mmCIF file of all heavy atoms in Angstrom:
data_model
loop_
_atom_site.group_PDB
_atom_site.id
_atom_site.type_symbol
_atom_site.label_atom_id
_atom_site.label_comp_id
_atom_site.label_asym_id
_atom_site.label_seq_id
_atom_site.Cartn_x
_atom_site.Cartn_y
_atom_site.Cartn_z
ATOM 1 N N LYS A 1 -9.765 18.557 14.309
ATOM 2 C CA LYS A 1 -8.424 18.895 13.848
ATOM 3 C C LYS A 1 -8.395 18.900 12.334
ATOM 4 O O LYS A 1 -9.056 18.082 11.691
ATOM 5 C CB LYS A 1 -7.413 17.872 14.369
ATOM 6 C CG LYS A 1 -7.218 17.846 15.876
ATOM 7 C CD LYS A 1 -6.208 16.776 16.253
ATOM 8 C CE LYS A 1 -5.996 16.700 17.744
ATOM 9 N NZ LYS A 1 -5.034 15.612 18.103
ATOM 10 N N GLY A 2 -7.616 19.792 11.770
ATOM 11 C CA GLY A 2 -7.408 19.772 10.333
ATOM 12 C C GLY A 2 -6.498 18.622 9.929
ATOM 13 O O GLY A 2 -5.867 17.969 10.763
ATOM 14 N N LEU A 3 -6.420 18.363 8.642
ATOM 15 C CA LEU A 3 -5.588 17.284 8.111
ATOM 16 C C LEU A 3 -4.119 17.688 8.162
ATOM 17 O O LEU A 3 -3.745 18.778 7.711
ATOM 18 C CB LEU A 3 -6.000 16.976 6.665
ATOM 19 C CG LEU A 3 -5.302 15.805 5.977
ATOM 20 C CD1 LEU A 3 -5.633 14.497 6.691
ATOM 21 C CD2 LEU A 3 -5.717 15.728 4.515
ATOM 22 N N LEU A 4 -3.287 16.818 8.691
ATOM 23 C CA LEU A 4 -1.856 17.105 8.760
ATOM 24 C C LEU A 4 -1.233 17.113 7.369
ATOM 25 O O LEU A 4 -1.676 16.386 6.468
ATOM 26 C CB LEU A 4 -1.148 16.066 9.627
ATOM 27 C CG LEU A 4 -1.453 16.086 11.129
ATOM 28 C CD1 LEU A 4 -0.719 14.939 11.814
ATOM 29 C CD2 LEU A 4 -1.055 17.419 11.751
ATOM 30 N N SER A 5 -0.186 17.908 7.204
ATOM 31 C CA SER A 5 0.486 17.993 5.905
ATOM 32 C C SER A 5 1.470 16.848 5.688
ATOM 33 O O SER A 5 2.097 16.760 4.635
ATOM 34 C CB SER A 5 1.234 19.322 5.779
ATOM 35 O OG SER A 5 2.253 19.422 6.765
ATOM 36 N N LEU A 6 1.607 15.962 6.677
ATOM 37 C CA LEU A 6 2.471 14.789 6.538
ATOM 38 C C LEU A 6 1.660 13.538 6.837
ATOM 39 O O LEU A 6 1.038 13.439 7.891
ATOM 40 C CB LEU A 6 3.666 14.867 7.498
ATOM 41 C CG LEU A 6 4.551 13.612 7.565
ATOM 42 C CD1 LEU A 6 5.236 13.376 6.217
ATOM 43 C CD2 LEU A 6 5.583 13.733 8.682
ATOM 44 N N VAL A 7 1.655 12.607 5.885
ATOM 45 C CA VAL A 7 1.012 11.316 6.088
ATOM 46 C C VAL A 7 2.103 10.261 6.153
ATOM 47 O O VAL A 7 2.812 10.029 5.165
ATOM 48 C CB VAL A 7 0.019 10.988 4.952
ATOM 49 C CG1 VAL A 7 -0.539 9.582 5.125
ATOM 50 C CG2 VAL A 7 -1.107 12.009 4.918
ATOM 51 N N ASN A 8 2.243 9.642 7.312
ATOM 52 C CA ASN A 8 3.259 8.608 7.503
ATOM 53 C C ASN A 8 2.685 7.268 7.061
ATOM 54 O O ASN A 8 1.945 6.619 7.807
ATOM 55 C CB ASN A 8 3.689 8.561 8.969
ATOM 56 C CG ASN A 8 4.904 7.671 9.183
ATOM 57 O OD1 ASN A 8 5.074 6.659 8.502
ATOM 58 N ND2 ASN A 8 5.747 8.046 10.127
ATOM 59 N N GLY A 9 3.038 6.870 5.843
ATOM 60 C CA GLY A 9 2.505 5.635 5.299
ATOM 61 C C GLY A 9 2.879 4.405 6.104
ATOM 62 O O GLY A 9 2.127 3.435 6.160
ATOM 63 N N VAL A 10 4.042 4.441 6.748
ATOM 64 C CA VAL A 10 4.483 3.294 7.546
ATOM 65 C C VAL A 10 3.562 3.099 8.743
ATOM 66 O O VAL A 10 3.164 1.984 9.070
ATOM 67 C CB VAL A 10 5.942 3.488 8.014
ATOM 68 C CG1 VAL A 10 6.368 2.337 8.911
ATOM 69 C CG2 VAL A 10 6.873 3.596 6.808
ATOM 70 N N GLU A 11 3.175 4.212 9.390
ATOM 71 C CA GLU A 11 2.345 4.126 10.582
ATOM 72 C C GLU A 11 0.937 3.637 10.276
ATOM 73 O O GLU A 11 0.316 2.945 11.090
ATOM 74 C CB GLU A 11 2.279 5.486 11.278
ATOM 75 C CG GLU A 11 3.574 5.908 11.952
ATOM 76 C CD GLU A 11 3.410 7.212 12.708
ATOM 77 O OE1 GLU A 11 2.319 7.826 12.611
ATOM 78 O OE2 GLU A 11 4.374 7.623 13.383
ATOM 79 N N ILE A 12 0.403 3.986 9.111
ATOM 80 C CA ILE A 12 -0.983 3.625 8.792
ATOM 81 C C ILE A 12 -1.068 2.423 7.855
ATOM 82 O O ILE A 12 -2.143 2.116 7.337
ATOM 83 C CB ILE A 12 -1.735 4.816 8.165
ATOM 84 C CG1 ILE A 12 -1.127 5.189 6.790
ATOM 85 C CG2 ILE A 12 -1.737 6.013 9.099
ATOM 86 C CD1 ILE A 12 -1.959 6.188 6.009
ATOM 87 N N SER A 13 0.055 1.733 7.648
ATOM 88 C CA SER A 13 0.100 0.614 6.678
ATOM 89 C C SER A 13 -0.367 1.086 5.309
ATOM 90 O O SER A 13 -1.190 0.445 4.644
ATOM 91 C CB SER A 13 -0.772 -0.558 7.163
ATOM 92 O OG SER A 13 -0.286 -1.073 8.380
ATOM 93 N N GLY A 14 0.171 2.231 4.918
ATOM 94 C CA GLY A 14 -0.208 2.829 3.645
ATOM 95 C C GLY A 14 1.010 3.226 2.835
ATOM 96 O O GLY A 14 1.176 4.393 2.482
ATOM 97 N N THR A 15 1.878 2.255 2.546
ATOM 98 C CA THR A 15 3.063 2.500 1.728
ATOM 99 C C THR A 15 2.902 1.834 0.361
ATOM 100 O O THR A 15 1.946 1.094 0.121
ATOM 101 C CB THR A 15 4.318 1.923 2.403
ATOM 102 O OG1 THR A 15 4.178 0.489 2.505
ATOM 103 C CG2 THR A 15 4.514 2.504 3.790
ATOM 104 N N ASN A 16 3.851 2.100 -0.534
ATOM 105 C CA ASN A 16 3.837 1.414 -1.828
ATOM 106 C C ASN A 16 3.867 -0.098 -1.661
ATOM 107 O O ASN A 16 3.206 -0.836 -2.393
ATOM 108 C CB ASN A 16 5.050 1.860 -2.665
ATOM 109 C CG ASN A 16 4.815 3.171 -3.373
ATOM 110 O OD1 ASN A 16 3.678 3.598 -3.558
ATOM 111 N ND2 ASN A 16 5.890 3.828 -3.769
ATOM 112 N N GLU A 17 4.655 -0.546 -0.685
ATOM 113 C CA GLU A 17 4.741 -1.989 -0.442
ATOM 114 C C GLU A 17 3.392 -2.553 -0.001
ATOM 115 O O GLU A 17 2.984 -3.632 -0.437
ATOM 116 C CB GLU A 17 5.802 -2.279 0.636
ATOM 117 C CG GLU A 17 7.231 -1.968 0.211
ATOM 118 C CD GLU A 17 7.662 -0.550 0.534
ATOM 119 O OE1 GLU A 17 6.777 0.301 0.766
ATOM 120 O OE2 GLU A 17 8.869 -0.289 0.558
ATOM 121 N N ASP A 18 2.672 -1.778 0.829
ATOM 122 C CA ASP A 18 1.339 -2.222 1.263
ATOM 123 C C ASP A 18 0.377 -2.284 0.073
ATOM 124 O O ASP A 18 -0.413 -3.225 -0.045
ATOM 125 C CB ASP A 18 0.786 -1.269 2.322
ATOM 126 C CG ASP A 18 1.557 -1.343 3.628
ATOM 127 O OD1 ASP A 18 1.681 -2.444 4.173
ATOM 128 O OD2 ASP A 18 2.037 -0.294 4.087
ATOM 129 N N GLY A 19 0.461 -1.272 -0.800
ATOM 130 C CA GLY A 19 -0.401 -1.261 -1.970
ATOM 131 C C GLY A 19 -0.165 -2.456 -2.871
ATOM 132 O O GLY A 19 -1.100 -3.073 -3.382
ATOM 133 N N TYR A 20 1.122 -2.782 -3.061
ATOM 134 C CA TYR A 20 1.474 -3.937 -3.894
ATOM 135 C C TYR A 20 0.951 -5.232 -3.278
ATOM 136 O O TYR A 20 0.350 -6.067 -3.965
ATOM 137 C CB TYR A 20 2.989 -4.009 -4.046
ATOM 138 C CG TYR A 20 3.476 -5.260 -4.738
ATOM 139 C CD1 TYR A 20 3.462 -5.354 -6.128
ATOM 140 C CD2 TYR A 20 3.917 -6.357 -4.003
ATOM 141 C CE1 TYR A 20 3.888 -6.508 -6.773
ATOM 142 C CE2 TYR A 20 4.343 -7.511 -4.632
ATOM 143 C CZ TYR A 20 4.327 -7.584 -6.015
ATOM 144 O OH TYR A 20 4.740 -8.736 -6.640
ATOM 145 N N GLU A 21 1.155 -5.392 -1.983
ATOM 146 C CA GLU A 21 0.751 -6.629 -1.313
ATOM 147 C C GLU A 21 -0.762 -6.794 -1.280
ATOM 148 O O GLU A 21 -1.288 -7.904 -1.433
ATOM 149 C CB GLU A 21 1.320 -6.654 0.111
ATOM 150 C CG GLU A 21 2.841 -6.796 0.137
ATOM 151 C CD GLU A 21 3.445 -6.400 1.477
ATOM 152 O OE1 GLU A 21 2.657 -6.125 2.422
ATOM 153 O OE2 GLU A 21 4.687 -6.368 1.582
ATOM 154 N N GLN A 22 -1.480 -5.680 -1.112
ATOM 155 C CA GLN A 22 -2.941 -5.744 -1.094
ATOM 156 C C GLN A 22 -3.489 -6.228 -2.429
ATOM 157 O O GLN A 22 -4.377 -7.097 -2.482
ATOM 158 C CB GLN A 22 -3.516 -4.363 -0.758
ATOM 159 C CG GLN A 22 -3.307 -3.947 0.685
ATOM 160 C CD GLN A 22 -3.466 -2.457 0.901
ATOM 161 O OE1 GLN A 22 -3.615 -1.677 -0.054
ATOM 162 N NE2 GLN A 22 -3.421 -2.033 2.157
ATOM 163 N N LEU A 23 -2.958 -5.679 -3.527
ATOM 164 C CA LEU A 23 -3.448 -6.079 -4.845
ATOM 165 C C LEU A 23 -3.019 -7.506 -5.182
ATOM 166 O O LEU A 23 -3.796 -8.289 -5.757
ATOM 167 C CB LEU A 23 -2.937 -5.105 -5.907
ATOM 168 C CG LEU A 23 -3.502 -5.286 -7.314
ATOM 169 C CD1 LEU A 23 -5.019 -5.148 -7.315
ATOM 170 C CD2 LEU A 23 -2.894 -4.274 -8.284
ATOM 171 N N ARG A 24 -1.794 -7.869 -4.813
ATOM 172 C CA ARG A 24 -1.308 -9.219 -5.062
ATOM 173 C C ARG A 24 -2.172 -10.263 -4.352
ATOM 174 O O ARG A 24 -2.582 -11.263 -4.947
ATOM 175 C CB ARG A 24 0.136 -9.334 -4.571
ATOM 176 C CG ARG A 24 0.753 -10.732 -4.722
ATOM 177 C CD ARG A 24 1.974 -10.875 -3.833
ATOM 178 N NE ARG A 24 1.611 -10.753 -2.408
ATOM 179 C CZ ARG A 24 2.488 -10.552 -1.440
ATOM 180 N NH1 ARG A 24 3.776 -10.408 -1.704
ATOM 181 N NH2 ARG A 24 2.082 -10.474 -0.179
ATOM 182 N N ASP A 25 -2.470 -10.013 -3.095
ATOM 183 C CA ASP A 25 -3.258 -10.974 -2.327
ATOM 184 C C ASP A 25 -4.697 -11.060 -2.820
ATOM 185 O O ASP A 25 -5.326 -12.116 -2.753
ATOM 186 C CB ASP A 25 -3.247 -10.591 -0.839
ATOM 187 C CG ASP A 25 -1.854 -10.669 -0.229
ATOM 188 O OD1 ASP A 25 -0.975 -11.308 -0.851
ATOM 189 O OD2 ASP A 25 -1.638 -10.080 0.846
ATOM 190 N N LEU A 26 -5.205 -9.942 -3.321
ATOM 191 C CA LEU A 26 -6.597 -9.904 -3.772
ATOM 192 C C LEU A 26 -6.781 -10.633 -5.100
ATOM 193 O O LEU A 26 -7.746 -11.382 -5.292
ATOM 194 C CB LEU A 26 -7.048 -8.442 -3.897
ATOM 195 C CG LEU A 26 -8.551 -8.149 -3.827
ATOM 196 C CD1 LEU A 26 -9.143 -8.644 -2.520
ATOM 197 C CD2 LEU A 26 -8.779 -6.644 -3.954
ATOM 198 N N LEU A 27 -5.848 -10.414 -6.035
ATOM 199 C CA LEU A 27 -5.975 -10.997 -7.373
ATOM 200 C C LEU A 27 -5.192 -12.291 -7.545
ATOM 201 O O LEU A 27 -5.303 -12.958 -8.580
ATOM 202 C CB LEU A 27 -5.510 -9.978 -8.428
ATOM 203 C CG LEU A 27 -6.273 -8.646 -8.488
ATOM 204 C CD1 LEU A 27 -5.749 -7.790 -9.639
ATOM 205 C CD2 LEU A 27 -7.773 -8.866 -8.643
ATOM 206 N N ASP A 28 -4.353 -12.609 -6.552
ATOM 207 C CA ASP A 28 -3.549 -13.839 -6.612
ATOM 208 C C ASP A 28 -2.551 -13.842 -7.768
ATOM 209 O O ASP A 28 -2.256 -14.893 -8.348
ATOM 210 C CB ASP A 28 -4.440 -15.091 -6.720
ATOM 211 C CG ASP A 28 -5.318 -15.261 -5.496
ATOM 212 O OD1 ASP A 28 -4.831 -15.003 -4.383
ATOM 213 O OD2 ASP A 28 -6.488 -15.652 -5.657
ATOM 214 N N ILE A 29 -2.048 -12.671 -8.121
ATOM 215 C CA ILE A 29 -0.997 -12.587 -9.144
ATOM 216 C C ILE A 29 0.019 -11.538 -8.723
ATOM 217 O O ILE A 29 -0.307 -10.578 -8.024
ATOM 218 C CB ILE A 29 -1.552 -12.240 -10.552
ATOM 219 C CG1 ILE A 29 -2.345 -10.923 -10.520
ATOM 220 C CG2 ILE A 29 -2.379 -13.353 -11.119
ATOM 221 C CD1 ILE A 29 -2.791 -10.470 -11.889
ATOM 222 N N GLU A 30 1.240 -11.736 -9.149
ATOM 223 C CA GLU A 30 2.310 -10.799 -8.841
ATOM 224 C C GLU A 30 2.321 -9.645 -9.846
ATOM 225 O O GLU A 30 2.101 -9.854 -11.039
ATOM 226 C CB GLU A 30 3.672 -11.501 -8.882
ATOM 227 C CG GLU A 30 3.855 -12.592 -7.826
ATOM 228 C CD GLU A 30 4.141 -12.035 -6.452
ATOM 229 O OE1 GLU A 30 4.403 -10.822 -6.358
ATOM 230 O OE2 GLU A 30 4.098 -12.816 -5.481
ATOM 231 N N LYS A 31 2.557 -8.455 -9.348
ATOM 232 C CA LYS A 31 2.758 -7.263 -10.178
ATOM 233 C C LYS A 31 1.676 -7.102 -11.243
ATOM 234 O O LYS A 31 1.947 -6.996 -12.435
ATOM 235 C CB LYS A 31 4.144 -7.311 -10.844
ATOM 236 C CG LYS A 31 4.671 -5.930 -11.206
ATOM 237 C CD LYS A 31 6.103 -6.000 -11.701
ATOM 238 C CE LYS A 31 6.633 -4.609 -12.005
ATOM 239 N NZ LYS A 31 8.006 -4.608 -12.499
ATOM 240 N N ALA A 32 0.432 -7.077 -10.770
ATOM 241 C CA ALA A 32 -0.686 -6.863 -11.696
ATOM 242 C C ALA A 32 -0.609 -5.471 -12.328
ATOM 243 O O ALA A 32 -0.984 -5.273 -13.479
ATOM 244 C CB ALA A 32 -2.008 -7.029 -10.957
ATOM 245 N N ILE A 33 -0.094 -4.509 -11.560
ATOM 246 C CA ILE A 33 0.028 -3.134 -12.054
ATOM 247 C C ILE A 33 1.172 -2.479 -11.295
ATOM 248 O O ILE A 33 1.461 -2.844 -10.154
ATOM 249 C CB ILE A 33 -1.297 -2.355 -11.837
ATOM 250 C CG1 ILE A 33 -1.279 -1.011 -12.575
ATOM 251 C CG2 ILE A 33 -1.586 -2.160 -10.367
ATOM 252 C CD1 ILE A 33 -2.620 -0.296 -12.535
ATOM 253 N N ASP A 34 1.859 -1.545 -11.922
ATOM 254 C CA ASP A 34 2.985 -0.872 -11.275
ATOM 255 C C ASP A 34 2.494 0.144 -10.244
ATOM 256 O O ASP A 34 1.645 0.987 -10.545
ATOM 257 C CB ASP A 34 3.851 -0.150 -12.313
ATOM 258 C CG ASP A 34 4.578 -1.127 -13.223
ATOM 259 O OD1 ASP A 34 4.859 -2.249 -12.770
ATOM 260 O OD2 ASP A 34 4.859 -0.766 -14.386
#
């Protein structure tokens, strides 16, 4: 199948919130980068 033109970040745990939490947990600091 080809790549869909819509990526549902909520379904794949790939939202801005997920990105923030991943970096926070990895570096142990809040808001390391916007």
Side-chain angles (χ1 to χ4, degrees):
K1 294 179 181 178
L3 184 64
L4 291 177
S5 62
L6 173 65
V7 175
N8 190 326
V10 177
E11 289 184 355
I12 65 170
S13 298
T15 63
N16 278 341
E17 293 90 342
D18 292 305
Y20 173 82
E21 292 162 6
Q22 289 162 353
L23 187 59
R24 178 198 63 195
D25 296 343
L26 203 58
L27 300 184
D28 297 321
I29 57 174
E30 296 283 349
K31 205 173 182 181
I33 191 173
D34 292 332

